[in-house]
Amino acid sequence: MDFKKSLFAVMLATAPLMASAALTQSQVDQFAKDTELLFSVEDNFRNKDAGFLGKITLNNGSDVALPAGESDWQLYIHSVRKISTEHVAGLNIEHVNGDLHRIVPTSSFKGLAAGESLELPFDAQVWIVAYSDFMPRAFFVSGKNKPAVFANTDTEDFKQYVTPFTRENQLRRYNEPKDLSVLATAKVRFKRNSTDKVSVSKEDALKRIIPKPRKVDFNRGSATLNNNWQISYQGQLKHEVMVFMQDLQDDYGISLKAQPDHINVGKDKVIRLKVDPKLNNAKAESYTLEIDDEVITIVGSDNAGVFYAMQSLLNLIPANSQGSASLPQLELEDSPRYGWRGMHYDNGRNYHGKEAMFKLVEQMARYKMNKLHWHFSEDEGWRLEIPGLPELTDVGGYRCFDLEERECLLTQLGTGPFKSGSGNGYLKRDEFVELLKFAKDRHIQIIPEVEGPGHARASIKAMEARYHNMLEEAQKAAKNNIKTRSANKEIQHIDMGPATQYLLTDPKDTSVYMTVQNYKDNSMNVCMDSTYAFLDKVTYELQQMYREAGVQLKNLHIGGDEVGAGSWIGSPICQALFADPNNGVAGPADLKPYFTQRVATLLEKRGISPGIWEDGIMYDRENSFKRDEFPNKTFTVNTWDNIWEWGVADRAYRLANAGYQVVLSHGTHLYFDHPYEASPAERGYYWATRYTDTKKAFNYMPDDVYANADYTRTREPIVNLEALVGRPLPKLEKPENILGMQGQVWSETIRTEEQVLAMIFPRILSVAERAWHKADWEGEKVDSTKQAKDWAEFSSAVGLKELDKLAKDGINLNLPVPGGVIENGKLYANSAFAYLSIEYSLDNGQSWQTYAEPVKVDNNAKVALRTRLNAKQTSRVTVVGE
């Protein structure tokens, strides 16, 4: 089999070969070290809402001059916005693949002398209003020299390589239509934080359990939990007790003894734990909790119920407790709103390390969440070791400057040219088994996602590397064994079955497509049997890992979303499939359902229920694949696309009514890769909504999807959803098919553990709250008074105790930027979370003082504000008066 040459290898081979002015390695290194490369947004209003004008500036502070005319140097940048400008200042700008672009000199290039600057204006897709859209680690290479990263871009500090956004046409996305976003300022925040302000006492904030219990009665008095207590537990609860004891010891220095309940504990103070399957009409995960001064009684309908009762008890402990803790006496009855309380975590695009996953699982359990949807395979990376397919991680787990993609994937998303760059790595098999056990002990199910048929570039390129490796090994073996003149002829007849066993691409496929992430080659070929052999192999190995961990692989997500239009049309293998009159595949429109049916059947044979993103199960905007075509009793669908004016936000109900099991995953409220506020300094994408803060996620109403229709993408208020959509909106006929809800974090702009945890926390607490507890203010007509009171209690508990607890467990947090105004010579400041410390500075951040009450200042003063949690964690700084 003769594969097409890699597009990138071809590009490299056809690069200008005028090497008379070739740079040395020393010159390459010096130029990148001392030349400043800057990105700028010049005008978002250039092409309505379809494009913007940007600029790259090179300030050559080195002693190296780039010669005029053609030469062999190349400059690579990461740009998630595809650049449409092809020629500027004598340079060609070429889109390589995904976000990677390269700049090469032509005969008309005038050169760049030492000490001079070069400006390269360019047009690109859509718009940029966040510094994080510009990726770090641009790099420079010449000939066969090693690439060198521009030093000022080798950082996570946007200010080093992105020029400030100050003008309206930089801060707003477009002016046709008009961008109505209210940009975050100290004054805007102050007003928002002051709206419907409800005062909550410290005592009430400490007693607020997150997520809120169904029913709780507080009695007079308190119990002091210390080392004098012991635990008496029903035998089946041994694992839950061990986790509980470890948490008490690690977090609060309280060391308890535990014994099975057949042993008499005497007159000591005791925590009694047992399971009563009849509790709350046998509803799963239910529990009761009673706290007296000498006895704490926990009864669960199952082990999970007992575990969640323990979490409620832990939630009541003040954050700074050590050695003992004061608990309010109470009687509590609780059960979950939904059985599916999840978090989707993408570390396929950027890997954030093993510890990030363990920390996420641990904290999800603390807040009674039970499903971790792990998105470990993507275009940009494969993050789990699979026995028998080492290339998946050896190649697919890393990105670097390898245009042939034999050693690593094409570099993307700010990784730069080296394997040591950000976002690289994977979880080893034994580490994943360890994580599964850790999650099992905390009643969390991990649902892996193996992306297909789109978003599969990492697996595609890894399997192509496997093919080439095996081909070379076979040829080498044949040459060693065959010494005759007919050796070459014999080599041509080598059995390549093993090498092609898991291939995901047809080498003769001439299909042309471009995905929304600007990839040209990320679709598995759904017509090839080897595609399904690959998926079955991966599924088999996953099952073995789960079994080793003592759990069952019950659900596997197959992706299905954002397949490039035009995939497979030019594949001879697919054409042959169309020509067969007996297989029910007559043309390209049948291929996605064909793929989904084959994979669903494969999973059914293994006792696994499939999951898919909503667009992966749709023929068109309104019609889903026929449910009875799938043999699976359960087939979950994540409904994410609730951009109301796009007209498909009713899919959650359409799919539930059609018999699919729906997990609400809506982009406008539950996508935590979006910014916390409308500010260019906030990290994240903003395609679904300009921002999503903790309060917006808290206000999500899963029982009435349409009631969440608040604004369009332009931030125009929605007053008539049906008029906006232009057709009747279906009602939910089968509410039993709404399994629950989950938060999502996608990691295109998120490269480190610190960054990903801050994007998730504290917003995930709102998902935990809404998935567990139905608030009394929810409904088509929101009771705003009750809503304000509920938010005040929740946010006060977050500010007073939850943030501290999370920080002590190693969680990097996003702290809300405070609001502030100066009125009548006094500074007034507030925070979205009551009891979170606010600091102010009158000397441009040289010194800080704690804000406790209005402060006398000059009416024209520039006062800096920030919130502070501890010695290490503060919010971004805002300035009152700017």
Side-chain angles (χ1 to χ4, degrees), residues 171-206:
L171 294 167
R172 298 190 181 277
R173 296 165 288 178
Y174 35 70
N175 62 344
E176 293 183 57
K178 193 171 182 62
D179 183 354
L180 301 175
S181 298
V182 177
L183 303 178
T185 64
K187 183 177 181 180
V188 166
R189 293 187 206 97
F190 185 83
K191 183 178 180 180
R192 285 179 180 164
N193 296 337
S194 301
T195 302
D196 300 323
K197 192 68 175 178
V198 178
S199 179
V200 178
S201 70
K202 279 192 174 183
E203 180 183 7
D204 287 343
L206 286 171

mmCIF file of all heavy atoms in Angstrom, residues 171-206:
data_model
loop_
_atom_site.group_PDB
_atom_site.id
_atom_site.type_symbol
_atom_site.label_atom_id
_atom_site.label_comp_id
_atom_site.label_asym_id
_atom_site.label_seq_id
_atom_site.Cartn_x
_atom_site.Cartn_y
_atom_site.Cartn_z
ATOM 1 N N LEU A 171 -12.713 45.423 21.588
ATOM 2 C CA LEU A 171 -13.405 44.862 22.749
ATOM 3 C C LEU A 171 -14.727 44.197 22.384
ATOM 4 O O LEU A 171 -15.230 43.367 23.151
ATOM 5 C CB LEU A 171 -13.671 45.964 23.778
ATOM 6 C CG LEU A 171 -12.423 46.574 24.416
ATOM 7 C CD1 LEU A 171 -12.782 47.858 25.166
ATOM 8 C CD2 LEU A 171 -11.771 45.578 25.363
ATOM 9 N N ARG A 172 -15.269 44.566 21.230
ATOM 10 C CA ARG A 172 -16.542 43.982 20.800
ATOM 11 C C ARG A 172 -16.342 43.116 19.562
ATOM 12 O O ARG A 172 -15.424 43.320 18.785
ATOM 13 C CB ARG A 172 -17.576 45.078 20.535
ATOM 14 C CG ARG A 172 -17.887 45.874 21.787
ATOM 15 C CD ARG A 172 -19.073 46.799 21.618
ATOM 16 N NE ARG A 172 -19.306 47.550 22.846
ATOM 17 C CZ ARG A 172 -19.997 47.073 23.888
ATOM 18 N NH1 ARG A 172 -20.529 45.852 23.813
ATOM 19 N NH2 ARG A 172 -20.156 47.799 24.972
ATOM 20 N N ARG A 173 -17.241 42.157 19.406
ATOM 21 C CA ARG A 173 -17.074 41.136 18.371
ATOM 22 C C ARG A 173 -17.396 41.654 16.966
ATOM 23 O O ARG A 173 -16.794 41.219 16.001
ATOM 24 C CB ARG A 173 -17.972 39.931 18.690
ATOM 25 C CG ARG A 173 -17.590 39.223 19.985
ATOM 26 C CD ARG A 173 -18.693 38.287 20.449
ATOM 27 N NE ARG A 173 -19.831 39.026 20.959
ATOM 28 C CZ ARG A 173 -20.945 38.455 21.400
ATOM 29 N NH1 ARG A 173 -21.082 37.145 21.371
ATOM 30 N NH2 ARG A 173 -21.946 39.204 21.870
ATOM 31 N N TYR A 174 -18.346 42.536 16.887
ATOM 32 C CA TYR A 174 -18.808 43.019 15.582
ATOM 33 C C TYR A 174 -19.703 44.232 15.810
ATOM 34 O O TYR A 174 -20.105 44.519 16.947
ATOM 35 C CB TYR A 174 -19.588 41.928 14.827
ATOM 36 C CG TYR A 174 -20.409 41.031 15.718
ATOM 37 C CD1 TYR A 174 -21.553 41.490 16.377
ATOM 38 C CD2 TYR A 174 -20.023 39.719 15.937
ATOM 39 C CE1 TYR A 174 -22.293 40.669 17.205
ATOM 40 C CE2 TYR A 174 -20.757 38.882 16.780
ATOM 41 C CZ TYR A 174 -21.892 39.368 17.407
ATOM 42 O OH TYR A 174 -22.616 38.543 18.244
ATOM 43 N N ASN A 175 -19.989 44.938 14.731
ATOM 44 C CA ASN A 175 -20.943 46.048 14.831
ATOM 45 C C ASN A 175 -22.134 45.870 13.906
ATOM 46 O O ASN A 175 -23.071 46.659 13.943
ATOM 47 C CB ASN A 175 -20.256 47.393 14.544
ATOM 48 C CG ASN A 175 -19.689 47.466 13.147
ATOM 49 O OD1 ASN A 175 -19.537 46.440 12.476
ATOM 50 N ND2 ASN A 175 -19.360 48.674 12.705
ATOM 51 N N GLU A 176 -22.106 44.832 13.057
ATOM 52 C CA GLU A 176 -23.261 44.456 12.230
ATOM 53 C C GLU A 176 -23.403 42.948 12.266
ATOM 54 O O GLU A 176 -22.649 42.252 11.584
ATOM 55 C CB GLU A 176 -23.072 44.912 10.778
ATOM 56 C CG GLU A 176 -23.071 46.404 10.558
ATOM 57 C CD GLU A 176 -22.960 46.749 9.079
ATOM 58 O OE1 GLU A 176 -23.832 46.286 8.306
ATOM 59 O OE2 GLU A 176 -22.009 47.431 8.701
ATOM 60 N N PRO A 177 -24.314 42.405 13.063
ATOM 61 C CA PRO A 177 -25.247 43.075 13.982
ATOM 62 C C PRO A 177 -24.502 43.705 15.152
ATOM 63 O O PRO A 177 -23.321 43.434 15.356
ATOM 64 C CB PRO A 177 -26.139 41.926 14.452
ATOM 65 C CG PRO A 177 -25.254 40.724 14.372
ATOM 66 C CD PRO A 177 -24.408 40.925 13.150
ATOM 67 N N LYS A 178 -25.197 44.491 15.925
ATOM 68 C CA LYS A 178 -24.551 45.209 17.011
ATOM 69 C C LYS A 178 -24.299 44.265 18.183
ATOM 70 O O LYS A 178 -25.171 43.519 18.595
ATOM 71 C CB LYS A 178 -25.427 46.387 17.456
ATOM 72 C CG LYS A 178 -24.694 47.375 18.364
ATOM 73 C CD LYS A 178 -25.521 48.609 18.586
ATOM 74 C CE LYS A 178 -24.788 49.623 19.454
ATOM 75 N NZ LYS A 178 -23.546 50.083 18.834
ATOM 76 N N ASP A 179 -23.077 44.304 18.683
ATOM 77 C CA ASP A 179 -22.715 43.521 19.859
ATOM 78 C C ASP A 179 -23.192 44.269 21.100
ATOM 79 O O ASP A 179 -22.660 45.322 21.455
ATOM 80 C CB ASP A 179 -21.194 43.330 19.904
ATOM 81 C CG ASP A 179 -20.736 42.452 21.063
ATOM 82 O OD1 ASP A 179 -21.581 42.085 21.890
ATOM 83 O OD2 ASP A 179 -19.538 42.143 21.126
ATOM 84 N N LEU A 180 -24.211 43.713 21.767
ATOM 85 C CA LEU A 180 -24.834 44.385 22.896
ATOM 86 C C LEU A 180 -24.257 43.948 24.234
ATOM 87 O O LEU A 180 -24.805 44.286 25.289
ATOM 88 C CB LEU A 180 -26.351 44.112 22.881
ATOM 89 C CG LEU A 180 -27.092 44.573 21.625
ATOM 90 C CD1 LEU A 180 -28.552 44.143 21.682
ATOM 91 C CD2 LEU A 180 -26.982 46.076 21.461
ATOM 92 N N SER A 181 -23.161 43.236 24.219
ATOM 93 C CA SER A 181 -22.552 42.772 25.467
ATOM 94 C C SER A 181 -22.222 43.950 26.381
ATOM 95 O O SER A 181 -21.709 44.969 25.926
ATOM 96 C CB SER A 181 -21.267 42.002 25.188
ATOM 97 O OG SER A 181 -21.514 40.852 24.413
ATOM 98 N N VAL A 182 -22.521 43.783 27.660
ATOM 99 C CA VAL A 182 -22.110 44.758 28.661
ATOM 100 C C VAL A 182 -20.748 44.316 29.168
ATOM 101 O O VAL A 182 -20.610 43.277 29.807
ATOM 102 C CB VAL A 182 -23.118 44.828 29.820
ATOM 103 C CG1 VAL A 182 -22.631 45.805 30.888
ATOM 104 C CG2 VAL A 182 -24.492 45.239 29.305
ATOM 105 N N LEU A 183 -19.726 45.066 28.834
ATOM 106 C CA LEU A 183 -18.369 44.685 29.201
ATOM 107 C C LEU A 183 -18.136 44.881 30.691
ATOM 108 O O LEU A 183 -18.626 45.842 31.292
ATOM 109 C CB LEU A 183 -17.366 45.508 28.390
ATOM 110 C CG LEU A 183 -17.514 45.395 26.868
ATOM 111 C CD1 LEU A 183 -16.503 46.280 26.164
ATOM 112 C CD2 LEU A 183 -17.361 43.953 26.406
ATOM 113 N N ALA A 184 -17.377 43.968 31.273
ATOM 114 C CA ALA A 184 -17.165 43.986 32.711
ATOM 115 C C ALA A 184 -16.255 45.141 33.115
ATOM 116 O O ALA A 184 -15.163 45.312 32.576
ATOM 117 C CB ALA A 184 -16.556 42.666 33.160
ATOM 118 N N THR A 185 -16.729 45.934 34.052
ATOM 119 C CA THR A 185 -15.936 46.989 34.684
ATOM 120 C C THR A 185 -16.213 46.931 36.178
ATOM 121 O O THR A 185 -17.141 46.241 36.629
ATOM 122 C CB THR A 185 -16.317 48.386 34.164
ATOM 123 O OG1 THR A 185 -17.684 48.654 34.537
ATOM 124 C CG2 THR A 185 -16.179 48.472 32.648
ATOM 125 N N ALA A 186 -15.444 47.656 36.949
ATOM 126 C CA ALA A 186 -15.684 47.680 38.387
ATOM 127 C C ALA A 186 -17.101 48.178 38.693
ATOM 128 O O ALA A 186 -17.789 47.647 39.575
ATOM 129 C CB ALA A 186 -14.644 48.571 39.071
ATOM 130 N N LYS A 187 -17.540 49.172 37.939
ATOM 131 C CA LYS A 187 -18.873 49.732 38.159
ATOM 132 C C LYS A 187 -19.966 48.735 37.789
ATOM 133 O O LYS A 187 -20.952 48.573 38.520
ATOM 134 C CB LYS A 187 -19.020 51.014 37.337
ATOM 135 C CG LYS A 187 -20.349 51.734 37.545
ATOM 136 C CD LYS A 187 -20.389 53.034 36.749
ATOM 137 C CE LYS A 187 -21.704 53.773 36.972
ATOM 138 N NZ LYS A 187 -21.743 55.045 36.185
ATOM 139 N N VAL A 188 -19.796 48.059 36.661
ATOM 140 C CA VAL A 188 -20.793 47.067 36.226
ATOM 141 C C VAL A 188 -20.889 45.932 37.242
ATOM 142 O O VAL A 188 -21.988 45.497 37.614
ATOM 143 C CB VAL A 188 -20.415 46.521 34.833
ATOM 144 C CG1 VAL A 188 -21.211 45.257 34.508
ATOM 145 C CG2 VAL A 188 -20.650 47.578 33.766
ATOM 146 N N ARG A 189 -19.751 45.459 37.719
ATOM 147 C CA ARG A 189 -19.766 44.380 38.706
ATOM 148 C C ARG A 189 -20.439 44.827 40.002
ATOM 149 O O ARG A 189 -21.198 44.064 40.619
ATOM 150 C CB ARG A 189 -18.349 43.905 39.010
ATOM 151 C CG ARG A 189 -17.652 43.228 37.861
ATOM 152 C CD ARG A 189 -16.314 42.641 38.304
ATOM 153 N NE ARG A 189 -15.406 42.558 37.165
ATOM 154 C CZ ARG A 189 -14.491 43.444 36.868
ATOM 155 N NH1 ARG A 189 -14.310 44.503 37.642
ATOM 156 N NH2 ARG A 189 -13.720 43.292 35.801
ATOM 157 N N PHE A 190 -20.131 46.029 40.413
ATOM 158 C CA PHE A 190 -20.711 46.540 41.660
ATOM 159 C C PHE A 190 -22.235 46.543 41.572
ATOM 160 O O PHE A 190 -22.929 46.120 42.510
ATOM 161 C CB PHE A 190 -20.204 47.947 41.957
ATOM 162 C CG PHE A 190 -20.663 48.491 43.281
ATOM 163 C CD1 PHE A 190 -19.987 48.164 44.445
ATOM 164 C CD2 PHE A 190 -21.780 49.311 43.364
ATOM 165 C CE1 PHE A 190 -20.421 48.653 45.685
ATOM 166 C CE2 PHE A 190 -22.219 49.796 44.584
ATOM 167 C CZ PHE A 190 -21.538 49.467 45.749
ATOM 168 N N LYS A 191 -22.748 46.998 40.441
ATOM 169 C CA LYS A 191 -24.196 47.040 40.270
ATOM 170 C C LYS A 191 -24.785 45.637 40.259
ATOM 171 O O LYS A 191 -25.815 45.380 40.891
ATOM 172 C CB LYS A 191 -24.537 47.779 38.978
ATOM 173 C CG LYS A 191 -26.030 47.936 38.740
ATOM 174 C CD LYS A 191 -26.317 48.724 37.467
ATOM 175 C CE LYS A 191 -27.816 48.865 37.241
ATOM 176 N NZ LYS A 191 -28.110 49.630 35.990
ATOM 177 N N ARG A 192 -24.148 44.719 39.548
ATOM 178 C CA ARG A 192 -24.652 43.345 39.502
ATOM 179 C C ARG A 192 -24.640 42.697 40.875
ATOM 180 O O ARG A 192 -25.581 41.997 41.264
ATOM 181 C CB ARG A 192 -23.819 42.511 38.524
ATOM 182 C CG ARG A 192 -24.110 42.796 37.062
ATOM 183 C CD ARG A 192 -23.218 41.951 36.166
ATOM 184 N NE ARG A 192 -23.502 42.215 34.755
ATOM 185 C CZ ARG A 192 -22.702 41.874 33.762
ATOM 186 N NH1 ARG A 192 -21.549 41.244 34.022
ATOM 187 N NH2 ARG A 192 -23.022 42.140 32.507
ATOM 188 N N ASN A 193 -23.550 42.908 41.605
ATOM 189 C CA ASN A 193 -23.443 42.302 42.936
ATOM 190 C C ASN A 193 -24.421 42.911 43.929
ATOM 191 O O ASN A 193 -24.738 42.287 44.948
ATOM 192 C CB ASN A 193 -22.020 42.446 43.479
ATOM 193 C CG ASN A 193 -20.998 41.695 42.652
ATOM 194 O OD1 ASN A 193 -21.327 40.753 41.939
ATOM 195 N ND2 ASN A 193 -19.740 42.114 42.740
ATOM 196 N N SER A 194 -24.881 44.119 43.635
ATOM 197 C CA SER A 194 -25.797 44.814 44.541
ATOM 198 C C SER A 194 -27.252 44.486 44.251
ATOM 199 O O SER A 194 -28.130 44.735 45.087
ATOM 200 C CB SER A 194 -25.597 46.333 44.435
ATOM 201 O OG SER A 194 -24.270 46.698 44.749
ATOM 202 N N THR A 195 -27.534 43.960 43.066
ATOM 203 C CA THR A 195 -28.915 43.686 42.665
ATOM 204 C C THR A 195 -29.519 42.600 43.552
ATOM 205 O O THR A 195 -28.934 41.537 43.742
ATOM 206 C CB THR A 195 -28.969 43.240 41.197
ATOM 207 O OG1 THR A 195 -28.386 44.259 40.384
ATOM 208 C CG2 THR A 195 -30.403 42.988 40.753
ATOM 209 N N ASP A 196 -30.712 42.878 44.070
ATOM 210 C CA ASP A 196 -31.428 41.915 44.921
ATOM 211 C C ASP A 196 -30.543 41.383 46.038
ATOM 212 O O ASP A 196 -30.570 40.185 46.363
ATOM 213 C CB ASP A 196 -31.967 40.749 44.084
ATOM 214 C CG ASP A 196 -32.936 41.209 43.017
ATOM 215 O OD1 ASP A 196 -33.697 42.142 43.296
ATOM 216 O OD2 ASP A 196 -32.923 40.624 41.924
ATOM 217 N N LYS A 197 -29.733 42.245 46.609
ATOM 218 C CA LYS A 197 -28.791 41.812 47.637
ATOM 219 C C LYS A 197 -29.544 41.332 48.877
ATOM 220 O O LYS A 197 -30.402 42.040 49.406
ATOM 221 C CB LYS A 197 -27.848 42.966 48.012
ATOM 222 C CG LYS A 197 -26.660 42.527 48.864
ATOM 223 C CD LYS A 197 -25.712 41.645 48.086
ATOM 224 C CE LYS A 197 -24.478 41.305 48.898
ATOM 225 N NZ LYS A 197 -23.566 40.416 48.165
ATOM 226 N N VAL A 198 -29.247 40.111 49.288
ATOM 227 C CA VAL A 198 -29.856 39.530 50.484
ATOM 228 C C VAL A 198 -28.737 39.223 51.470
ATOM 229 O O VAL A 198 -27.756 38.570 51.122
ATOM 230 C CB VAL A 198 -30.626 38.238 50.151
ATOM 231 C CG1 VAL A 198 -31.207 37.622 51.412
ATOM 232 C CG2 VAL A 198 -31.730 38.524 49.126
ATOM 233 N N SER A 199 -28.874 39.698 52.673
ATOM 234 C CA SER A 199 -27.848 39.478 53.692
ATOM 235 C C SER A 199 -27.999 38.087 54.295
ATOM 236 O O SER A 199 -29.103 37.652 54.635
ATOM 237 C CB SER A 199 -27.964 40.547 54.778
ATOM 238 O OG SER A 199 -26.988 40.333 55.779
ATOM 239 N N VAL A 200 -26.880 37.399 54.419
ATOM 240 C CA VAL A 200 -26.855 36.051 54.998
ATOM 241 C C VAL A 200 -25.846 36.050 56.140
ATOM 242 O O VAL A 200 -24.683 36.441 55.955
ATOM 243 C CB VAL A 200 -26.470 34.995 53.948
ATOM 244 C CG1 VAL A 200 -26.404 33.603 54.580
ATOM 245 C CG2 VAL A 200 -27.454 35.014 52.781
ATOM 246 N N SER A 201 -26.267 35.596 57.302
ATOM 247 C CA SER A 201 -25.374 35.571 58.454
ATOM 248 C C SER A 201 -24.309 34.496 58.281
ATOM 249 O O SER A 201 -24.487 33.527 57.528
ATOM 250 C CB SER A 201 -26.160 35.304 59.731
ATOM 251 O OG SER A 201 -26.640 33.958 59.753
ATOM 252 N N LYS A 202 -23.201 34.650 59.009
ATOM 253 C CA LYS A 202 -22.149 33.641 58.961
ATOM 254 C C LYS A 202 -22.670 32.291 59.432
ATOM 255 O O LYS A 202 -22.321 31.242 58.883
ATOM 256 C CB LYS A 202 -20.954 34.075 59.811
ATOM 257 C CG LYS A 202 -20.027 35.061 59.141
ATOM 258 C CD LYS A 202 -18.733 35.207 59.913
ATOM 259 C CE LYS A 202 -17.742 36.083 59.153
ATOM 260 N NZ LYS A 202 -16.434 36.193 59.842
ATOM 261 N N GLU A 203 -23.516 32.320 60.469
ATOM 262 C CA GLU A 203 -24.060 31.069 61.000
ATOM 263 C C GLU A 203 -24.866 30.339 59.928
ATOM 264 O O GLU A 203 -24.724 29.130 59.737
ATOM 265 C CB GLU A 203 -24.946 31.357 62.215
ATOM 266 C CG GLU A 203 -25.552 30.100 62.827
ATOM 267 C CD GLU A 203 -26.489 30.407 63.987
ATOM 268 O OE1 GLU A 203 -26.765 31.606 64.232
ATOM 269 O OE2 GLU A 203 -26.947 29.458 64.636
ATOM 270 N N ASP A 204 -25.704 31.075 59.205
ATOM 271 C CA ASP A 204 -26.512 30.448 58.156
ATOM 272 C C ASP A 204 -25.658 29.989 56.981
ATOM 273 O O ASP A 204 -25.930 28.954 56.368
ATOM 274 C CB ASP A 204 -27.585 31.423 57.666
ATOM 275 C CG ASP A 204 -28.708 31.608 58.688
ATOM 276 O OD1 ASP A 204 -28.825 30.758 59.594
ATOM 277 O OD2 ASP A 204 -29.432 32.620 58.600
ATOM 278 N N ALA A 205 -24.619 30.762 56.662
ATOM 279 C CA ALA A 205 -23.737 30.366 55.561
ATOM 280 C C ALA A 205 -22.983 29.082 55.898
ATOM 281 O O ALA A 205 -22.802 28.214 55.038
ATOM 282 C CB ALA A 205 -22.757 31.487 55.243
ATOM 283 N N LEU A 206 -22.559 28.948 57.151
ATOM 284 C CA LEU A 206 -21.855 27.739 57.565
ATOM 285 C C LEU A 206 -22.770 26.520 57.524
ATOM 286 O O LEU A 206 -22.316 25.404 57.249
ATOM 287 C CB LEU A 206 -21.291 27.913 58.980
ATOM 288 C CG LEU A 206 -20.068 28.809 59.115
ATOM 289 C CD1 LEU A 206 -19.752 29.060 60.586
ATOM 290 C CD2 LEU A 206 -18.860 28.193 58.426
#
